[in-house]
Amino acid sequence: MSDCRTEYLATRNKQFLCMTIFFLFLSLSVKSQTVSVADFLGDRPAAVSLTFDDGIQEHYTLVALHLNRYALRGTFGINGKYMGDIDDHFAPRLTWEECRRMAADGHEICNHSWSHPNLTAIDRHTLLLEIRKNDSIIKAETGVNPTSILYPFNATTPQVRAVCEEGKVGARIEQFGLGQRDSGCTASSIDTWLRQLINDRRWGVTMTHGIYTAWDQWDEPWILWNFFRELAFKKDSVWVDTFSNIQAYVKERNAVTLTTRWCNNTLIITPVLSLDSKIFRMPLTLKVAGMEKNRCMKAVQDGKNLQVSYRGDYSTIDINPYGSPVAVSYMNEKTLEGKMMCVIGDSYVYNHGCPVSETWHYKLATKHGMKYQNLGQNGNSIAFERDSIYGAPLYKRYSIIPENADYILIIAGHNDAYLVNGDIDRQKVLRQRLDELLKGLKRKYSGAKIGWVTPWNVAYEGFPATINIIEEMCRKNDVKVLNAAYTSVINPNDPVFRSRYFQGKDDNAHLNNAGHNLLMHWGEQFVMGL
């Protein structure tokens, strides 16, 4: 009897010890979770807003033309009094029709006062008139209510700010003069400024006036165009957006509070933000660290699955800071088992000259016991007719996907980027046919989960715009995107990286076996989250 009791007590002690260790482990794992807001959208280390003063006609005929080529968006401050005055002694001014076209292309038209006075030198009544009259005409002519202001002469006081920024996200207070005659910019000085901005993880706001006319003109305007190009190929490290969008994000980031708790093996993240949601409308990027590595996560807010992006030591999630609590949990590893995954696209899918079995999507399907069909076609494009050996473009070819597909993955755009090559008209064709493709896919395969993987951001003119159009049209059609250009994992422009992870030292398109392995967990997280 004594031996039995001793054995019983020993067993009880072991059970108690195991339970204690379990709860201690659970407590430590819960405490190890850290949730924070990324400095900038998409967890980029820096941000840039390009602002342009005085409503000069060159902003439409030259600046917007180059910005559109690289899918960059600028902020243009206009003075309503001078709009349409092409004989102005200072410089020919924008017309309202030109402003409307710029706004339609995604550029911000903002308040630079009605007549460009020094706002610190006028009475309150005149100040209100300068701001409200300009706001009203911008809204009437463009349909968009301006939510930011660029101060004339950069002159302001706390009293002026209180009046001018009411109902707005804010105003430009600090800026980097981007010109030559007065600011003295050179290619070297601009490059130094940008590198320092990235190193310091800051938001930089540039200020430009004229190109060939007006103030602070350029003797070498190609330096400015080359700067735009450089920004386009640094989108993995620099968030380039309008002043209002970045200002809104920064203020939301600084004002939001996050609380976390665990419930039924789910991490509940509750955001609280008291700013005006009609003005501050940007999503926030959360960084979630301390979760188990190599396990895929899902995040749900307001009944909708959010995209989780794997970042190695942490994951990022774009949330609505005014929405319901975000529920983050681990995915069921058997979610994909037995499902049919069809991958369609160009040589990214077909894997060029290497076996399909080396691709990350084939490996993913094998790992999860999925049925797999590879519909890649070397040289294929999304939107453009090419030689018959490349096959019909995807907007026509997609119907070869079997109707019983459970998952459809489109990996394409590399060839379109070369065909677009900065041509605005071809951008429009790509946008139209991509929209047609996505609508057709959703209509024909209404029961399938559909996702798109972009090409990398190759340093060639057409890539930034092509990638931007893919994101834009997928967002419009509610199709999730893995933006492989901005994961910072694949760098096609680094010769050392290419020699190690691509199929040849001069290849910037096709990963080798080791390169595909780099994308494996990113792709797994993406597909499981569709």
Side-chain angles (χ1 to χ4, degrees):
M1 187 74 173
S2 176
D3 289 342
C4 290
R5 181 165 180 76
T6 301
E7 185 178 343
Y8 169 76
L9 290 173
T11 302
R12 284 284 304 272
N13 288 339
K14 284 181 181 179
Q15 290 174 341
F16 178 75
L17 180 61
C18 288
M19 290 298 290
T20 301
I21 293 172
F22 171 76
F23 283 115
L24 178 61
F25 173 79
L26 183 61
S27 173
L28 287 173
S29 79
V30 169
K31 289 179 181 178
S32 70
Q33 317 305 323
T34 58
V35 180
S36 59
V37 181
D39 288 342
F40 301 109
L41 188 67
D43 192 35
R44 291 165 172 82
V48 167
S49 292
L50 303 165
T51 69
F52 304 87
D53 290 23
D54 300 338
I56 300 164
Q57 194 170 48
E58 289 175 329
H59 295 165
Y60 174 76
T61 57
L62 293 174
V63 174
L65 189 68
H66 285 275
L67 292 176
N68 290 347
R69 186 178 190 185
Y70 297 113
L72 299 174
R73 302 292 172 253
T75 294
F76 296 86
I78 61 101
N79 309 114
K81 178 179 179 180
Y82 305 113
M83 292 296 289
D85 187 353
I86 60 173
D87 296 320
D88 185 270
H89 70 282
F90 178 64
R93 305 297 181 116
L94 286 166
T95 67
W96 283 115
E97 177 56 29
E98 289 165 342
C99 259
R100 283 189 285 272
R101 291 178 183 175
M102 291 164 70
D105 286 334
H107 300 293
E108 178 184 9
I109 307 300
C110 79
N111 199 324
H112 195 43
S113 80
W114 172 255
S115 64
H116 205 285
N118 183 330
L119 299 181
T120 67
I122 57 179
D123 60 67
R124 179 180 172 83
H125 173 75
T126 307
L127 175 62
L128 284 169
L129 188 65
E130 282 285 333
I131 301 307
R132 292 178 179 176
K133 188 173 182 180
N134 213 38
D135 276 347
S136 295
I137 196 165
I138 292 172
K139 174 65 183 296
E141 292 287 351
T142 68
V144 180
N145 191 43
T147 56
S148 68
I149 183 167
L150 310 180
Y151 290 115
F153 308 106
N154 296 314
T156 189
T157 64
Q159 293 75 22
V160 168
R161 292 192 65 180
V163 172
C164 295
E165 296 178 36
E166 183 180 358
K168 291 181 168 55
V169 298
R172 186 186 65 197
I173 302 301
E174 297 180 356
Q175 59 280 319
F176 172 73
L178 196 55
Q180 278 193 312
R181 294 276 179 93
D182 296 274
S183 299
C185 284
T186 64
S188 177
S189 68
I190 295 170
D191 180 66
T192 298
W193 175 80
L194 182 60
R195 281 190 286 107
Q196 192 64 51
L197 196 74
I198 296 171
N199 289 339
D200 294 344
R201 304 182 71 87
R202 292 187 296 110
W203 172 30
V205 182
T206 67
M207 176 186 68
T208 301
H209 289 76
I211 305 301
Y212 296 112
T213 64
W215 185 74
D216 206 6
Q217 297 171 26
W218 289 83
D219 295 311
E220 302 167 297
W222 54 89
I223 292 176
L224 182 61
W225 314 143
N226 286 342
F227 174 56
F228 293 168
R229 186 179 190 275
E230 182 71 10
L231 286 175
F233 295 116
K234 286 188 179 295
K235 280 191 174 181
D236 60 337
S237 53
V238 183
W239 172 29
V240 184
D241 209 338
T242 63
F243 179 89
S244 282
N245 283 349
I246 299 181
Q247 177 71 92
Y249 183 96
V250 168
K251 288 193 174 180
E252 290 173 30
R253 177 197 71 193
N254 294 340
V256 73
T257 60
L258 302 172
T259 59
T260 61
R261 63 185 177 89
W262 280 89
C263 179
N264 297 327
N265 297 317
T266 299
L267 178 63
I268 308 296
I269 306 168
T270 303
V272 177
L273 185 59
S274 58
L275 297 176
D276 185 346
S277 61
K278 294 180 181 178
I279 301 171
F280 296 89
R281 301 188 296 267
M282 291 299 294
L284 289 177
T285 298
L286 293 190
K287 298 171 65 174
V288 182
M291 303 293 280
E292 292 182 39
K293 286 188 177 181
N294 299 321
R295 288 196 66 184
C296 294
M297 296 158 48
K298 73 174 180 178
V300 179
Q301 184 183 37
D302 297 323
K304 182 178 180 181
N305 288 331
L306 305 179
Q307 187 165 329
V308 180
S309 296
Y310 174 73
R311 298 284 175 182
D313 292 335
Y314 60 93
S315 295
T316 61
I317 310 166
D318 287 348
I319 70 161
N320 173 9
Y322 305 98
S324 64
V326 182
V328 181
S329 59
Y330 296 115
M331 290 188 186
N332 181 349
E333 296 294 331
K334 294 188 178 296
T335 299
L336 303 179
E337 189 174 325
K339 302 293 186 182
M340 164 72 82
M341 180 168 72
C342 295
V343 190
I344 192 169
D346 52 29
S347 54
Y348 276 41
V349 176
Y350 192 71
N351 210 27
H352 193 48
C354 289
V356 166
S357 59
E358 292 185 353
T359 63
W360 65 264
H361 33 88
Y362 178 92
K363 294 173 184 177
L364 169 64
T366 302
K367 175 182 176 180
H368 288 274
M370 301 181 78
K371 302 169 189 173
Y372 174 84
Q373 190 162 354
N374 188 300
L375 301 171
Q377 172 74 46
N378 281 346
N380 202 216
S381 76
I382 299 167
F384 301 100
E385 302 284 354
R386 304 185 72 194
D387 190 289
S388 59
I389 64 170
Y390 298 129
L394 279 175
Y395 84 100
K396 293 180 178 180
R397 191 168 75 92
Y398 74 90
S399 59
I400 68 170
I401 299 171
E403 293 189 7
N404 64 337
D406 299 298
Y407 287 80
I408 297 173
L409 205 57
I410 308 105
I411 307 178
H414 185 95
N415 296 309
D416 296 84
Y418 283 106
L419 294 166
V420 166
N421 192 25
D423 186 307
I424 302 300
D425 291 332
R426 281 182 168 248
Q427 287 183 23
K428 292 176 181 177
V429 171
L430 175 59
R431 185 176 283 107
Q432 174 192 333
R433 291 178 177 172
L434 181 51
D435 188 42
E436 185 178 336
L437 166 61
L438 293 170
K439 283 182 167 56
L441 281 166
K442 297 202 76 174
R443 184 170 55 250
K444 183 174 174 63
Y445 306 97
S446 57
K449 297 179 184 297
I450 303 172
W452 196 296
V453 181
T454 74
W456 346 115
N457 198 8
V458 179
Y460 188 82
E461 306 299 285
F463 277 82
T466 297
I467 293 163
N468 185 72
I469 290 168
I470 290 172
E471 282 201 303
E472 174 194 339
M473 301 316 297
C474 284
R475 186 165 52 246
K476 175 184 173 182
N477 287 280
D478 196 26
V479 170
K480 288 186 179 178
V481 178
L482 173 59
N483 195 327
Y486 310 140
T487 60
S488 297
V489 172
I490 307 299
N491 186 357
N493 304 312
D494 179 355
V496 175
F497 186 96
R498 286 199 308 270
S499 65
R500 183 176 299 174
Y501 294 110
F502 279 82
Q503 292 181 21
K505 63 183 180 64
D506 296 322
D507 190 341
N508 59 24
H510 312 105
L511 297 174
N512 60 23
N513 190 51
H516 279 289
N517 287 340
L518 291 179
L519 269 181
M520 176 63 176
H521 193 65
W522 295 78
E524 183 178 35
Q525 173 67 68
F526 177 66
V527 172
M528 290 189 72
L530 290 176

